[in-house]
Amino acid sequence: MKHENRGRLTKDGIRIYDASDFPGMHAAGRLAAQILDDIAQHVFVGQTTEAIDTKITEMVEAAGATSATIGYKGYQHASCISVNHVVCHGIPGAKTLKDGDILNIDVTVIVDGWYGDTSRMYVAGKLPRKAERLIEVTHDSLMKGIEMVKPGNTFGDIGHAIQSYVESHRMSVVRDFCGHGLGRVFHAPPNVLHYGRPGTGAVLEEGMFFTIEPMVNLGRPETKTLADDWTAVTRDKSLSAQFEHSVGVTSDGVDIFTLSPGGMFHPTY
Ligand code: MF3
Ligand code: CO
Ligand code: CO
């Protein structure tokens, strides 16, 4: 069987993987999460995001794995690093981190053909109070979304859990980017929206693999993409945060493939 075509597709075009496919996803997810643990010591005031990305490239190579992002649609780096009002797809570069900058580092690796995709927030120097609140709410909104993952619930249930939590804290959910199916490929159906209404959208089934990766803004939800065709920023220049896990649906709940081996997923505890 061609390995991209294993399992079956639902009527919504979502691939259903087999119980024997979970270990491969765990291995890929674990490596991506380990890299995010190990990169923490390289985030500090005066550091460039390019230097952080170079470390990530070295870590992927040292593990005998492949970066999913190098060469993806012309992208040239092993990570996306999104600082302050950058929402996602920040390109690592020569600018140095300043005290109080917050940043998302997003890494996707391929291990034995399986994709592991995860991102978290970091801070250079001292974490400003309002950034701390944003990071906290964004992290917790991802976890509220993950709590909805079980057979019989819908993707709308996930989106609604995230959106209602974020908006109850008077912050906003970005609509312009979403999570995605993954497995033997980087991006597959469905689009995993981080907003929505309960009971709407495709029904979750055991064996679905996808990411949940809410982006949350302190101000308005609108984004724009810069002239480099990658960097997405908040239109109103407000701070933005994001966390991402890759998960699988089990018979009675969820399996998180990208848990931090060192318990470091959340930056402030
Ligand atoms: N890892 C990102 C995601 O969560 C995708 C990055 S694609 C890149 O889907 F080309 F910008 F790296
Ligand atoms: Co993703
Ligand atoms: Co990602």
Side-chain angles (χ1 to χ4, degrees), residues 106-108 117-119 180 186-187 211 213 242 244:
D106 190 338
V107 170
T108 310
D117 184 5
T118 182
S119 80
H180 49 93
F186 195 172
H187 293 110
T211 73
E213 47 183 299
Q242 179 178 27
E244 175 176 24

PDB file of all heavy atoms in Angstrom, residues 106-108 117-119 180 186-187 211 213 242 244, ligand 3:
ATOM      1  N   ASP A 106       7.783  27.415  16.200  1.00  0.00           N
ATOM      2  CA  ASP A 106       6.963  26.353  15.606  1.00  0.00           C
ATOM      3  C   ASP A 106       7.878  25.427  14.806  1.00  0.00           C
ATOM      4  O   ASP A 106       8.571  25.875  13.890  1.00  0.00           O
ATOM      5  CB  ASP A 106       5.906  26.995  14.694  1.00  0.00           C
ATOM      6  CG  ASP A 106       4.851  26.003  14.219  1.00  0.00           C
ATOM      7  OD1 ASP A 106       5.108  24.786  14.224  1.00  0.00           O
ATOM      8  OD2 ASP A 106       3.768  26.478  13.827  1.00  0.00           O
ATOM      9  N   VAL A 107       7.886  24.155  15.198  1.00  0.00           N
ATOM     10  CA  VAL A 107       8.773  23.175  14.562  1.00  0.00           C
ATOM     11  C   VAL A 107       7.948  21.994  14.047  1.00  0.00           C
ATOM     12  O   VAL A 107       7.081  21.485  14.759  1.00  0.00           O
ATOM     13  CB  VAL A 107       9.825  22.666  15.575  1.00  0.00           C
ATOM     14  CG1 VAL A 107      10.601  21.480  15.020  1.00  0.00           C
ATOM     15  CG2 VAL A 107      10.784  23.785  15.957  1.00  0.00           C
ATOM     16  N   THR A 108       8.219  21.582  12.821  1.00  0.00           N
ATOM     17  CA  THR A 108       7.614  20.354  12.283  1.00  0.00           C
ATOM     18  C   THR A 108       8.721  19.457  11.758  1.00  0.00           C
ATOM     19  O   THR A 108       9.546  19.890  10.945  1.00  0.00           O
ATOM     20  CB  THR A 108       6.622  20.665  11.159  1.00  0.00           C
ATOM     21  OG1 THR A 108       5.716  21.674  11.594  1.00  0.00           O
ATOM     22  CG2 THR A 108       5.829  19.414  10.781  1.00  0.00           C
ATOM     23  N   ASP A 117       4.187  18.172  14.633  1.00  0.00           N
ATOM     24  CA  ASP A 117       4.064  19.630  14.453  1.00  0.00           C
ATOM     25  C   ASP A 117       3.630  20.234  15.786  1.00  0.00           C
ATOM     26  O   ASP A 117       2.549  19.903  16.297  1.00  0.00           O
ATOM     27  CB  ASP A 117       3.018  19.878  13.350  1.00  0.00           C
ATOM     28  CG  ASP A 117       2.842  21.337  12.972  1.00  0.00           C
ATOM     29  OD1 ASP A 117       3.581  22.191  13.471  1.00  0.00           O
ATOM     30  OD2 ASP A 117       1.927  21.599  12.138  1.00  0.00           O
ATOM     31  N   THR A 118       4.452  21.122  16.343  1.00  0.00           N
ATOM     32  CA  THR A 118       4.111  21.727  17.635  1.00  0.00           C
ATOM     33  C   THR A 118       4.757  23.093  17.770  1.00  0.00           C
ATOM     34  O   THR A 118       5.792  23.357  17.166  1.00  0.00           O
ATOM     35  CB  THR A 118       4.530  20.811  18.811  1.00  0.00           C
ATOM     36  OG1 THR A 118       4.146  21.393  20.064  1.00  0.00           O
ATOM     37  CG2 THR A 118       6.028  20.546  18.829  1.00  0.00           C
ATOM     38  N   SER A 119       4.116  23.964  18.540  1.00  0.00           N
ATOM     39  CA  SER A 119       4.707  25.271  18.815  1.00  0.00           C
ATOM     40  C   SER A 119       4.332  25.721  20.212  1.00  0.00           C
ATOM     41  O   SER A 119       3.332  25.260  20.789  1.00  0.00           O
ATOM     42  CB  SER A 119       4.251  26.309  17.779  1.00  0.00           C
ATOM     43  OG  SER A 119       2.953  26.797  18.069  1.00  0.00           O
ATOM     44  N   HIS A 180      -4.914  21.676  11.199  1.00  0.00           N
ATOM     45  CA  HIS A 180      -4.986  20.854   9.987  1.00  0.00           C
ATOM     46  C   HIS A 180      -4.794  19.386  10.313  1.00  0.00           C
ATOM     47  O   HIS A 180      -4.122  19.044  11.289  1.00  0.00           O
ATOM     48  CB  HIS A 180      -3.879  21.300   9.011  1.00  0.00           C
ATOM     49  CG  HIS A 180      -2.519  21.423   9.665  1.00  0.00           C
ATOM     50  ND1 HIS A 180      -1.606  20.402   9.677  1.00  0.00           N
ATOM     51  CD2 HIS A 180      -1.954  22.442  10.368  1.00  0.00           C
ATOM     52  CE1 HIS A 180      -0.526  20.798  10.338  1.00  0.00           C
ATOM     53  NE2 HIS A 180      -0.702  22.023  10.789  1.00  0.00           N
ATOM     54  N   PHE A 186       1.937  16.720   5.706  1.00  0.00           N
ATOM     55  CA  PHE A 186       2.037  17.891   6.584  1.00  0.00           C
ATOM     56  C   PHE A 186       0.657  18.508   6.799  1.00  0.00           C
ATOM     57  O   PHE A 186       0.242  18.757   7.936  1.00  0.00           O
ATOM     58  CB  PHE A 186       2.992  18.890   5.919  1.00  0.00           C
ATOM     59  CG  PHE A 186       3.518  19.997   6.810  1.00  0.00           C
ATOM     60  CD1 PHE A 186       4.525  20.832   6.323  1.00  0.00           C
ATOM     61  CD2 PHE A 186       3.057  20.195   8.104  1.00  0.00           C
ATOM     62  CE1 PHE A 186       5.043  21.852   7.106  1.00  0.00           C
ATOM     63  CE2 PHE A 186       3.567  21.217   8.898  1.00  0.00           C
ATOM     64  CZ  PHE A 186       4.570  22.042   8.389  1.00  0.00           C
ATOM     65  N   HIS A 187      -0.041  18.788   5.694  1.00  0.00           N
ATOM     66  CA  HIS A 187      -1.326  19.489   5.788  1.00  0.00           C
ATOM     67  C   HIS A 187      -2.382  18.718   4.993  1.00  0.00           C
ATOM     68  O   HIS A 187      -2.237  18.533   3.798  1.00  0.00           O
ATOM     69  CB  HIS A 187      -1.212  20.919   5.261  1.00  0.00           C
ATOM     70  CG  HIS A 187      -0.350  21.802   6.112  1.00  0.00           C
ATOM     71  ND1 HIS A 187       0.879  22.259   5.704  1.00  0.00           N
ATOM     72  CD2 HIS A 187      -0.534  22.292   7.355  1.00  0.00           C
ATOM     73  CE1 HIS A 187       1.415  23.014   6.675  1.00  0.00           C
ATOM     74  NE2 HIS A 187       0.574  23.045   7.683  1.00  0.00           N
ATOM     75  N   THR A 211      -3.827  18.801  14.033  1.00  0.00           N
ATOM     76  CA  THR A 211      -3.277  19.782  14.971  1.00  0.00           C
ATOM     77  C   THR A 211      -4.396  20.690  15.467  1.00  0.00           C
ATOM     78  O   THR A 211      -5.410  20.888  14.791  1.00  0.00           O
ATOM     79  CB  THR A 211      -2.200  20.680  14.329  1.00  0.00           C
ATOM     80  OG1 THR A 211      -2.844  21.615  13.445  1.00  0.00           O
ATOM     81  CG2 THR A 211      -1.153  19.876  13.570  1.00  0.00           C
ATOM     82  N   GLU A 213      -4.112  24.641  16.991  1.00  0.00           N
ATOM     83  CA  GLU A 213      -3.040  25.630  17.115  1.00  0.00           C
ATOM     84  C   GLU A 213      -3.573  27.057  17.157  1.00  0.00           C
ATOM     85  O   GLU A 213      -3.282  27.880  16.292  1.00  0.00           O
ATOM     86  CB  GLU A 213      -2.033  25.461  15.972  1.00  0.00           C
ATOM     87  CG  GLU A 213      -2.622  25.330  14.570  1.00  0.00           C
ATOM     88  CD  GLU A 213      -1.530  25.092  13.514  1.00  0.00           C
ATOM     89  OE1 GLU A 213      -0.666  25.981  13.380  1.00  0.00           O
ATOM     90  OE2 GLU A 213      -1.551  24.048  12.845  1.00  0.00           O
ATOM     91  N   GLN A 242       0.484  31.963  20.363  1.00  0.00           N
ATOM     92  CA  GLN A 242      -0.002  30.704  19.780  1.00  0.00           C
ATOM     93  C   GLN A 242       0.633  29.521  20.489  1.00  0.00           C
ATOM     94  O   GLN A 242       1.813  29.572  20.871  1.00  0.00           O
ATOM     95  CB  GLN A 242       0.362  30.635  18.285  1.00  0.00           C
ATOM     96  CG  GLN A 242      -0.098  29.344  17.612  1.00  0.00           C
ATOM     97  CD  GLN A 242       0.214  29.274  16.133  1.00  0.00           C
ATOM     98  OE1 GLN A 242       1.162  29.904  15.659  1.00  0.00           O
ATOM     99  NE2 GLN A 242      -0.570  28.512  15.393  1.00  0.00           N
ATOM    100  N   GLU A 244       0.570  25.058  19.861  1.00  0.00           N
ATOM    101  CA  GLU A 244       0.123  24.003  18.942  1.00  0.00           C
ATOM    102  C   GLU A 244       0.507  22.624  19.450  1.00  0.00           C
ATOM    103  O   GLU A 244       1.656  22.394  19.819  1.00  0.00           O
ATOM    104  CB  GLU A 244       0.775  24.214  17.567  1.00  0.00           C
ATOM    105  CG  GLU A 244       0.478  23.088  16.571  1.00  0.00           C
ATOM    106  CD  GLU A 244       1.035  23.346  15.169  1.00  0.00           C
ATOM    107  OE1 GLU A 244       2.015  24.121  15.047  1.00  0.00           O
ATOM    108  OE2 GLU A 244       0.484  22.771  14.219  1.00  0.00           O
TER     109      GLU A 244
HETATM  110 CO    CO B   3       3.235  24.226  13.389  1.00  0.00          CO
END
